[in-house]
Amino acid sequence: CPPLGLETLKITDFQLHASTAKRYGLGAHRGRLNIQAGVNENDFYDGAWCAGRNDPFQWIEVDARRLTKFTGVITQGRNSLWSSNWVTSYRVLVSNDSHAWTAVRNESGDVIFEGNSEKEIPVLNMLPVPLVARYIRINPRSWFEEGSICMRLEILGCPLPDPNNYYHRRNEMTTTDNLDFKHHNYKEMRQLMKTVNKMCPNITRIYNIGKSNQGLKLYAVEISDNPGEHEVGEPEFRYIAGAHGNEVLGRELILLLMQFMCQEYLAGNPRIVHLIEDTRIHLLPSVNPDGYDKAYKAGSELGGWSLGRWTQDGIDINNNFPDLNSLLWESEDQKKSKRKVPNHHIPIPDWYLSENATVAVETRAIIAWMEKIPFVLGGNLQGGELVVAYPYDMVRSMWKTQDYTPTPDDHVFRWLAYSYASTHRLMTDARRRACHTEDFQKEDGTVNGASWHTVAGSINDFSYLHTNCFELSIYVGCDKYPHESELPEEWENNRESLIVFMEQVHRGIKGIVKDAHGKGIPNAIISVEGVNHDIRTGDYWRLLNPGEYVVGVKAEGYTAATKTCEVGYDMGATRCDFTISKTNLARIKEIMKKFGKQPISLSVRRLRQRARQWRQQ
């Protein structure tokens, strides 16, 4: 049977009870598998249920609210940096009325189940035979001798059908989409991509951006009306997932999304057809397949919080990018510095490019991909929380670990984050319980990354400062690796948000910068008055909220130009083209070069004229 849902919060706080609790922050409602403690462990958000006394009469109980076939129990110790507490053995009891209890027994008496030997690795115990009841109780019998009774748990059970119970029928989530709702290992993921490509060969293309540490190819699927080529005037969008290999829900959502878009395109869904014809979409479901393989082998409930998170060589891909924030801020703070850093397309430092730098091969592959394709908007799907985080992810002050640190495009990023969160079924629901310790409701399910926790070298900050692409981190669920029975509901939670966020790539202005002969000018700089962040062309897209903007363009050897461009509320970027002429000096240089001569700079010319006059005198 699947988990009842302590980790996914399907089981509410009101369904959890305990004999005693050390304090509120260690109450029964905190006894959920993989729950994480807050930074201050003495607050309301601690990392387990802990009994008020250490004796064999303590218990924690789950009310399933309906008859359920219980089949197993998974336990962990207390999540804590400072203390070591776990239960080493326990009994299991069941009841239909919470008064008369029956212990799980075998031929020799009450079964004593073996518990944990440390605090983080989950331990599964299957019941000798499944038991049908409404309540289940865990009664610790022994615990770590230098600690106390503390535990986190998940219960495995199959709720029995109850056609007369309107409450459960009303709250059961179903989906009408005919998709492959299961966890896919590497081989199955590859096969699913081939199936989608075979179903929709005219709008899909499979390619890889490089290899993992263990040599697994990093496969992506492109969805476009002309796969394989960049079309002028058509923006490029990307979703990636699995940078942390054990955050599996994002991977499966991307695989579901590619199936859904193919099916809806074939069915003639006008919204999806329009999106595919006007956008080049790239879906990369598994950035860290080596880490995923470790998590997959352990299974959805038994990998703990971190098994498979890192690459094979122990690197966290999500924070493995060059720290360009420090370069920019140092340049801004030291205005007299000779080394000026631009506010966009900041070059990667030489030290990072060296072979000795601690950079994962997966990270290098992503950077090469980001530099090759002119992405406009991207989302990286993560897990373990339910929030959308936008840059900057790094705090500007070196003395703080949390501080709101906005980009010059903060108003745009906040809208992009809200566009996902507000269309998700749960992110902005004021009634929902916080996943672990943070309540993001005050910002409608969004958060500035640096105000949450500071991180140097994040993919979001790097993408913003090194490319034209605005990237956000989308945390799609409290449970990093949900049981596959949860996938249909998670798809329903996220489906509309995934589509709405892609549509935001068409918000703002777009255009082409040409010379007087109609030829495109590469590397022209597009600036917006009042926003200290520029982008560069070929053809360009600039994400902006509705309003009127003074837009400027400049390019080496050309005269600068400005114009006013208005962004409306309707979806669809405003066309804002520029035609600029070469400067007089550039024309002279071109003519001189054509005739095999080099132009003389004005200062040298003046010196020669003076020398000639002096000789004549």
Side-chain angles (χ1 to χ4, degrees):
C1 285
L4 287 188
L6 276 79
E7 184 176 6
T8 61
L9 307 183
K10 252 187 174 177
I11 297 294
T12 69
D13 289 352
F14 300 108
Q15 292 173 259
L16 299 171
H17 308 279
S19 51
T20 59
K22 191 169 285 187
R23 52 184 168 77
Y24 179 78
L26 292 167
H29 64 292
R30 301 298 293 174
R32 300 170 180 274
L33 191 73
N34 285 322
I35 204 163
Q36 300 297 293
V39 177
N40 304 309
E41 293 180 13
N42 292 325
D43 61 14
F44 289 152
Y45 303 108
D46 221 316
W49 161 67
C50 289
R53 298 186 299 273
N54 289 332
D55 61 48
F57 306 107
Q58 304 304 309
W59 48 263
I60 182 171
E61 167 190 314
V62 181
D63 175 6
R65 287 185 173 165
R66 63 198 288 186
L67 286 179
T68 301
K69 182 171 73 173
F70 296 115
T71 59
V73 177
I74 303 171
T75 59
Q76 279 175 311
R78 176 183 173 185
N79 175 251
S80 171
L81 292 171
W82 319 112
S83 59
S84 298
N85 304 287
W86 58 84
V87 169
T88 55
S89 67
Y90 60 88
R91 291 192 310 157
V92 176
L93 303 93
V94 294
S95 172
N96 284 322
D97 59 8
S98 79
H99 295 291
W101 291 89
T102 303
V104 174
R105 299 175 62 86
N106 58 19
E107 310 81 44
S108 55
D110 292 357
V111 176
I112 303 297
F113 294 95
E114 186 175 338
N116 299 83
S117 56
E118 58 89 73
K119 56 190 174 185
E120 289 298 338
I121 298 176
V123 172
L124 166 66
N125 279 299
M126 301 301 293
L127 304 187
V129 292
L131 294 175
V132 174
R134 171 175 167 174
Y135 301 88
I136 185 166
R137 182 178 280 186
I138 310 302
N139 166 220
R141 306 300 292 175
S142 62
W143 46 92
F144 178 52
E145 59 184 13
E146 295 178 22
S148 57
I149 297 175
C150 293
M151 65 192 313
R152 295 174 284 169
L153 68 152
E154 181 63 87
I155 305 296
L156 305 185
C158 296
L160 299 184
D162 184 359
N164 298 318
N165 192 322
Y166 170 74
Y167 173 83
H168 292 297
R169 288 207 317 277
R170 185 188 63 185
N171 286 279
E172 283 175 353
M173 171 59 65
T174 57
T175 180
T176 57
D177 295 328
N178 182 25
L179 307 174
D180 191 16
F181 293 107
K182 59 166 282 186
H183 287 297
H184 298 81
N185 62 26
Y186 183 80
K187 186 177 179 181
E188 291 166 340
M189 177 189 77
R190 177 81 176 99
Q191 186 57 48
L192 180 64
M193 289 178 168
K194 287 181 178 178
T195 301
V196 170
N197 180 237
K198 190 174 181 181
M199 282 176 62
C200 296
N202 296 329
I203 61 163
T204 61
R205 175 178 72 102
I206 303 171
Y207 67 101
N208 74 80
I209 68 164
K211 292 184 178 181
S212 71
N213 181 278
Q214 295 296 290
L216 298 176
K217 290 181 179 178
L218 309 180
Y219 284 111
V221 167
E222 177 193 338
I223 303 178
S224 166
D225 58 345
N226 283 299
E229 58 182 273
H230 172 73
E231 296 180 71
V232 174
E234 191 169 288
E236 310 247 3
F237 176 93
R238 68 169 178 255
Y239 272 133
I240 68 172
H244 296 149
N246 63 330
E247 293 172 9
V248 173
L249 178 55
R251 169 192 176 110
E252 294 304 329
L253 286 175
I254 287 182
L255 293 176
L256 291 166
L257 180 63
M258 64 179 69
Q259 297 172 65
F260 176 79
M261 293 191 74
C262 171
Q263 289 180 9
E264 293 300 299
Y265 182 85
L266 294 176
N269 181 330
R271 184 185 185 190
I272 300 301
V273 170
H274 179 69
L275 186 60
I276 290 172
E277 288 180 348
D278 290 351
T279 322
R280 192 177 179 210
I281 300 163
H282 303 259
L283 305 177
L284 177 61
S286 189
V287 175
N288 179 11
D290 300 344
Y292 173 82
D293 192 50
K294 292 179 184 176
Y296 181 81
K297 286 175 180 174
S300 64
E301 277 69 60
L302 300 178
W305 189 248
S306 58
L307 180 66
R309 175 185 176 91
W310 298 280
T311 63
Q312 186 67 26
D313 45 353
I315 294 173
D316 185 335
I317 294 175
N318 201 48
N319 311 325
N320 191 221
F321 292 82
D323 171 16
L324 304 182
N325 304 55
S326 298
L327 295 177
L328 174 65
W329 294 336
E330 284 171 16
S331 173
E332 291 177 347
D333 293 340
Q334 300 170 8
K335 293 183 179 178
K336 294 181 181 179
S337 171
K338 292 181 180 179
R339 188 184 177 194
K340 293 295 180 185
V341 174
N343 66 10
H344 68 292
H345 281 253
I346 300 173
I348 296 174
D350 292 339
W351 67 263
Y352 186 91
L353 298 172
S354 72
E355 291 184 8
N356 297 327
T358 307
V359 182
V361 292
E362 296 90 344
T363 310
R364 294 198 191 279
I366 295 168
I367 290 174
W369 185 50
M370 293 164 78
E371 292 178 332
K372 180 180 179 182
I373 297 174
F375 292 112
V376 179
L377 178 62
N380 56 85
L381 306 189
Q382 301 191 45
E385 260 302 349
L386 205 52
V387 68
V388 183
Y390 54 91
Y392 288 123
D393 290 328
M394 181 179 175
V395 169
R396 185 159 187 161
S397 169
M398 62 187 296
W399 309 110
K400 296 180 180 179
T401 58
Q402 292 176 305
D403 191 33
Y404 196 101
T405 310
T407 66
D409 285 288
D410 190 55
H411 55 297
V412 178
F413 275 113
R414 289 175 70 172
W415 166 256
L416 292 170
Y418 184 70
S419 72
Y420 194 100
S422 62
T423 49
H424 188 280
R425 285 187 62 253
L426 298 175
M427 271 189 199
T428 54
D429 185 350
R431 298 166 299 174
R432 77 170 181 88
R433 181 194 185 285
C435 290
H436 299 282
T437 64
E438 302 281 353
D439 183 2
F440 298 108
Q441 290 306 312
K442 60 182 179 293
E443 292 186 59
D444 292 316
T446 69
V447 67
N448 171 257
S451 71
W452 184 12
H453 52 250
T454 187
V455 168
S458 79
I459 186 172
N460 296 343
D461 290 3
F462 173 78
S463 181
Y464 182 68
L465 294 174
H466 184 67
T467 74
N468 288 345
C469 183
F470 288 29
E471 178 118 359
L472 294 83
S473 292
I474 302 167
Y475 293 79
V476 290
C478 300
D479 188 349
K480 291 182 175 183
Y481 195 156
H483 190 272
E484 67 180 34
S485 63
E486 300 287 335
L487 293 179
E489 182 170 348
E490 293 294 358
W491 167 246
E492 287 296 319
N493 288 344
N494 287 276
R495 180 184 59 191
E496 179 65 14
S497 304
L498 289 165
I499 297 167
V500 166
F501 188 72
M502 284 192 286
E503 291 172 335
Q504 303 313 304
V505 78
H506 294 284
R507 185 175 293 280
I509 59 174
K510 67 178 181 180
I512 302 171
V513 180
K514 299 179 286 188
D515 63 17
H517 304 291
K519 186 179 178 183
I521 300 172
N523 285 319
I525 296 173
I526 301 291
S527 58
V528 177
E529 190 176 276
V531 182
N532 187 27
H533 182 79
D534 304 334
I535 63 166
R536 299 202 179 190
T537 67
D539 48 340
Y540 79 90
W541 300 263
R542 179 59 163 95
L543 296 177
L544 292 167
N545 284 343
E548 194 172 85
Y549 298 91
V550 176
V551 183
V553 62
K554 60 183 178 181
E556 188 175 350
Y558 291 85
T559 54
T562 61
K563 65 165 61 174
T564 300
C565 302
E566 188 171 342
V567 178
Y569 286 90
D570 294 336
M571 193 58 70
T574 301
R575 194 75 192 231
C576 196
D577 295 329
F578 288 88
T579 301
I580 54 178
S581 304
K582 288 190 175 178
T583 61
N584 290 336
L585 181 59
R587 286 181 187 146
I588 291 168
K589 285 183 177 180
E590 198 174 74
I591 293 167
M592 299 287 279
K593 189 176 181 182
K594 187 176 180 180
F595 293 100
K597 296 180 180 179
Q598 290 299 317
I600 301 170
S601 70
L602 293 176
S603 57
V604 173
R605 186 177 297 170
R606 286 197 193 100
L607 288 171
R608 288 182 180 176
Q609 283 176 344
R610 287 175 186 170
R612 197 177 299 120
Q613 289 169 358
W614 182 77
R615 281 198 300 271
Q616 287 172 355
Q617 290 172 0

